[in-house]
């Protein structure tokens, strides 16, 4: 069982245990004896089953189990201790066990709320709040049901609840807010880079574009979705003038995967202000990385990118020989882009397909009709890629794969999520059952560039209640906090840095660090054994633990976030800073 399914199973069992005890309590209060006993026994068994799931989660990593061991564990023990012994000798009046069962139900429910609303790291404050809830609810039930040991005991219960509430709230609220991220500090002066040799102008505006045979309202660069493909040769100095005609939420350009000087990174509120309607901003950087990249707005990025403010950036080593096409996949108003296209290619011609996933979720790609190699991922060439046949590729949000092959005499087709997107002729293939490439074991390894690390970070991804903004929200969190309260990762220039990313949530988080490429060290404890992978985007599945590393060689303040852009806007973004 994977850690992801273990997390899900544990959650389901916890819900069943809580519901069983609460239902049993209600049934006994209503004097429905068989039902009450049945539910209570069921809940006891579910509670025992959790001992197994929690132990397994703790073995997979303390991050997955901390609050379950420290808070749910004691509360479950108390639930079993109070409810268990009363059942076999449930006296004539089943109503007398109602409060015990309800107590057990409250204990299970509040532990469940700790997991759902807070998660990792467990803290004494949260534990006390959970306890306060249980005691208060029990005392109130006691009073409401008019059961015997009432007054004094309920008063003591309520008193303890109040004390736990006050202490817990104090502990939870006390932690200081994260140090602020400095703005507009001017790291990396673009003017020193040299005279531009490639100039572009991108004008952002609302537009109506054709997609899937109908007119679709979009936000577009130069009235097209995707925006124009920007190309350069390595060594060029690229200059892009961004204009905003009428995008009220503002626009910027972020060069996804391109490790530009910080001042050119296009993150509003961090490296520049958003470009408002009528304004412009000029970006300039040297094209010193070869490969497939893309650009997109980072202002209101979720809606902005979804509406069409993105395009491809390709930097080549030499002029194109053979066929070289980019396939930026995107979902625009429910229409899958690009539209299917058929173009014959002469046999023997070298072909390079540059696959780009500009959506917020993973896509599945399959190339049918020819063996192929994955030449590069996220712009970095792979070492010793071997030919693949009938193998699917999962590309994370923001990720790019370059596939190369020699055109055969027979047709070839690229499928995205089972839909033929690009072909040289008719191909009928059922790609759904193909195995998926694991890049961590693909290609030839080479010695790691570091033998020791100067700094380590851990990012635990989850969901949780965020009360720090104007309105409470159910945020996507890192180490229990949401943007802007997540402490920045502070590094020194030149350091070798590693960070561990743990996903204890129920959703995929495609991770993306700006300004640096990370080297994948391991996933779920298994070291990467294939070609070195220098990535800027990678999918951290539920239950995954990734270890990645980078060299702190690009000073500035850099966003480090989930590239499911809705998650990023719902809190899952922190910053990497140089001291
Ligand atoms: Cu492509 Cu900060 O994102
Ligand atoms: Cu995410």
């Amino acid at each position: 069982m994977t850690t992801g399914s273990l997390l899900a199973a544990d959650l389901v069992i916890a819900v069943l245990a809580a519901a069983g005890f609460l239902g049993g309590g209600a049934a006994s209060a209503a004097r429905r004896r068989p039902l009450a006993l049945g539910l209570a026994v069921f809940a006891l068994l579910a509670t025992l089953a959790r001992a197994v799931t929690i132990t397994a989660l703790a073995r997979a990593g303390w991050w997955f189990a901390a609050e379950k061991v420290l808070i749910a564990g004691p509360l479950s023990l108390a639930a079993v201790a109070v409810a268990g012994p009363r059942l076999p000798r449930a006296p004539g009046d089943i109503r007398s066990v109602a409060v015990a069962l309800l107590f057990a139900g409250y204990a299970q429910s509040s532990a469940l709320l700790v997991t759902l609303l807070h998660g990792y790291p467990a803290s004494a404050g949260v534990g006390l709040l959970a306890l306060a809830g249980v005691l208060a609810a029990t005392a109130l039930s006691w009073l409401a049901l008019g059961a015997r040991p009432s007054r004094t005991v309920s008063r003591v219960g309520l008193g303890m609840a109040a004390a736990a509430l006050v202490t817990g709230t104090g502990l939870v609220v006390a932690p200081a807010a994260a140090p602020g991220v400095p703005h507009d500090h001017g790291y990396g002066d673009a003017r020193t880079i040299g005279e531009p040799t490639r100039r572009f102008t991108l004008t952002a505006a609302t537009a109506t574009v054709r997609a899937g045979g109908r007119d679709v309202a979009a936000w577009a660069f130069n009235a097209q979705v995707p925006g124009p493909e920007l190309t350069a040769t390595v060594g060029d100095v690229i200059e892009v003038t961004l204009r905003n005609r009428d995008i009220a939420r503002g626009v910027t350009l972020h060069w996804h995967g391109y490790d530009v000087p910080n001042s050119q990174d296009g993150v509003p509120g961090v490296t520049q202000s958003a470009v408002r309607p009528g304004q412009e901003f000029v970006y300039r950087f040297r094209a010193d990385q070869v490969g497939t990249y893309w650009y997109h707005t980072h202002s209101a990025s979720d809606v902005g990118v979804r509406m069409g403010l993105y395009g491809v950036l390709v930097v080549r080593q030499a002029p194109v020989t053979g066929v070289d096409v980019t396939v930026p996949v995107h979902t625009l108003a429910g229409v899958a882009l690009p539209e299917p296209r058929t173009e014959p290619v002469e046999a023997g011609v070298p072909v390079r397909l540059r696959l780009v996933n500009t959506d917020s979720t993973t896509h599945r790609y399959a190339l049918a009709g020819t063996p192929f190699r994955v030449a590069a991922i996220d712009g970095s060439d792979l070492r010793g890629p071997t030919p693949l046949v009938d193998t699917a590729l999962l590309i994370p949000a923001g990720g790019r794969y370059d596939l190369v092959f020699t055109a055969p005499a027979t047709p070839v087709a690229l499928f995205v999520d089972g839909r033929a997107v690009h072909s040289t002729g008719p191909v009928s293939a059922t790609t759904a059952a193909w195995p998926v490439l694991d890049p961590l074991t693909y290609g030839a390894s080479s010695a790691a560039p570091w033998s020791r690390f100067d700094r380590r970070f851990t990012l635990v991804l989850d969901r949780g209640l965020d009360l720090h903004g104007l309105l409470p929200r159910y945020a996507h969190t890192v180490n229990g906090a949401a943007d802007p309260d997540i402490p920045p990762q502070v590094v020194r220039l030149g350091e070798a840095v590693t960070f561990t990313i743990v996903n204890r949530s129920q959703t995929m988080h495609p991770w993306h660090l700006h300004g640096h490429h990370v080297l994948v060290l391991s996933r779920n404890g298994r070291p990467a054994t294939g070609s070195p992978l220098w990535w800027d985007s990678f999918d951290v599945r539920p239950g995954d633990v990734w270890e990645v590393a980078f060299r702190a060689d690009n000073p500035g303040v850099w966003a480090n976030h989930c590239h499911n852009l809705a998650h990023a806007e719902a809190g899952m973004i922190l910053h990497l800073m140089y001291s």
Side-chain angles (χ1 to χ4, degrees):
M1 206 176 193
T2 64
T3 309
S5 31
L6 209 52
L7 281 167
D10 180 66
L11 203 58
V12 170
I13 299 173
V15 170
L16 292 176
F21 279 127
L22 290 176
S28 63
R31 295 203 169 82
R32 313 250 326 248
R33 188 185 179 88
L35 181 63
L37 288 176
L39 285 171
V41 168
F42 171 78
L44 278 172
L45 292 176
T47 305
L48 292 179
R50 277 202 86 194
V52 177
T53 52
I54 293 177
T55 308
L57 284 171
R59 292 180 53 142
W62 178 242
W63 319 282
F64 297 115
E67 92 291 1
K68 301 180 182 78
V69 172
L70 297 175
I71 297 173
L75 285 173
S76 300
L77 285 180
V80 171
V82 169
R86 285 184 165 71
L87 289 178
R89 40 189 185 82
D93 185 5
I94 187 73
R95 209 159 177 262
S96 63
V97 297
V99 173
L101 291 180
L102 287 174
F103 164 79
Y106 300 142
Q108 295 290 23
S109 311
S110 86
L112 184 61
L113 285 179
V114 169
T115 289
L116 290 177
L117 301 183
H118 180 76
Y120 183 89
S123 68
V126 169
L128 284 172
L129 286 182
L131 184 64
V134 176
L135 291 175
T138 308
L140 291 175
S141 307
W142 224 322
L143 286 176
L145 289 176
R148 248 173 307 113
S150 64
R151 289 285 137 72
T152 335
V153 180
S154 355
R155 284 215 188 106
V156 170
L158 280 173
M160 282 169 62
L165 183 69
V166 169
T167 327
T169 310
L171 288 172
V172 165
V173 172
V181 170
H183 296 171
D184 301 330
H185 37 69
Y187 279 107
D189 188 344
R191 278 160 307 186
T192 62
I193 279 168
E195 277 308 300
T197 50
R198 294 286 285 160
R199 282 199 164 89
F200 306 93
T201 300
L202 295 177
T203 303
T206 54
T208 304
V209 299
R210 287 298 280 182
R214 57 190 171 92
D215 284 340
V216 168
W219 298 356
F221 288 120
N222 299 4
Q224 61 182 85
V225 175
E229 181 169 324
L230 310 185
T231 59
T233 306
V234 68
D236 273 336
V237 172
I238 298 177
E239 183 185 276
V240 182
T241 303
L242 167 67
R243 298 209 169 98
N244 180 0
R245 186 171 300 146
D246 62 356
I247 303 295
R249 311 241 350 228
V251 181
T252 63
L253 290 174
H254 168 60
W255 312 97
H256 185 116
Y258 226 72
D259 300 333
V260 298
N262 193 238
S263 61
Q264 310 300 299
D265 197 44
V267 178
V270 178
T271 66
Q272 67 171 100
S273 304
V275 177
R276 300 284 159 200
Q279 296 181 334
E280 68 170 46
F281 189 94
V282 179
Y283 296 87
R284 201 188 276 187
F285 56 91
R286 185 179 297 280
D288 46 15
Q289 291 165 254
V290 177
T292 310
Y293 303 89
W294 63 298
Y295 61 86
H296 62 81
T297 183
H298 220 288
S299 182
S301 62
D302 180 32
V303 57
V305 175
R306 209 161 4 96
M307 292 293 283
L309 290 174
Y310 71 95
V312 175
L313 167 68
V314 175
V315 178
R316 295 190 174 86
Q317 191 82 58
V320 176
T321 52
V323 172
D324 185 332
V325 281
T326 58
V327 188
V329 167
H330 193 80
T331 311
L332 182 68
V335 179
L337 299 179
E339 318 249 346
R341 184 161 80 157
T342 301
E343 257 172 335
V345 174
E346 218 179 294
V349 170
V351 180
R352 188 171 194 108
L353 285 180
R354 301 172 185 268
L355 314 180
V356 187
N357 181 359
T358 71
D359 274 330
S360 271
T361 51
T362 315
H363 285 297
R364 186 178 195 277
Y365 299 71
L367 184 64
T370 178
F372 64 95
R373 287 175 297 131
V374 180
I377 300 179
D378 286 0
S380 295
D381 283 348
L382 299 192
R383 194 166 178 267
T386 47
L388 298 168
V389 192
D390 294 357
T391 303
L393 310 165
L394 291 179
I395 305 189
R400 289 91 55 215
Y401 276 44
D402 288 17
L403 314 188
V404 296
F405 59 94
T406 305
T410 47
V412 172
L414 173 71
F415 293 84
V416 179
D417 305 325
R419 177 182 75 97
V421 163
H422 210 90
S423 59
T424 61
V427 174
S428 64
T430 35
T431 60
W434 288 7
V436 172
L437 175 73
D438 180 5
L440 272 68
T441 58
Y442 180 63
S445 66
S446 73
W450 307 292
S451 50
R452 58 173 198 89
F453 294 99
D454 305 302
R455 217 172 274 274
R456 290 177 186 277
F457 296 98
T458 301
L459 307 179
V460 179
L461 314 181
D462 204 350
R463 293 208 77 167
L465 193 62
D466 174 23
L467 300 170
H468 289 213
L470 280 179
L471 292 173
R473 59 175 179 168
Y474 194 40
H476 288 273
T477 57
V478 180
N479 299 340
D483 180 53
D485 297 320
I486 308 169
Q489 302 171 293
V490 182
V491 299
R492 245 183 248 284
L493 187 62
E495 285 180 336
V497 183
T498 164
F499 61 97
T500 304
I501 302 203
V502 181
N503 184 353
R504 42 166 285 159
S505 78
Q506 302 293 320
T507 32
M508 177 92 86
H509 295 297
W511 205 257
H512 173 55
L513 170 63
H514 286 212
H516 306 73
H517 279 77
V518 300
L519 176 68
V520 178
L521 301 179
S522 71
R523 182 189 55 213
N524 301 331
R526 287 218 190 94
T529 55
S531 161
L533 300 170
W534 290 94
W535 284 356
D536 54 61
S537 310
F538 54 99
D539 267 338
V540 185
R541 297 165 302 184
D544 268 3
V545 179
W546 288 71
E547 209 193 346
V548 301
F550 65 94
R551 172 73 68 190
D553 57 4
N554 198 2
V557 179
W558 302 97
N560 191 13
H561 64 94
C562 177
H563 216 282
N564 183 320
L565 297 172
H567 296 180
E569 288 190 358
M572 202 170 256
I573 176 162
L574 70 154
H575 296 86
L576 167 72
M577 289 171 41
Y578 284 65
S579 63

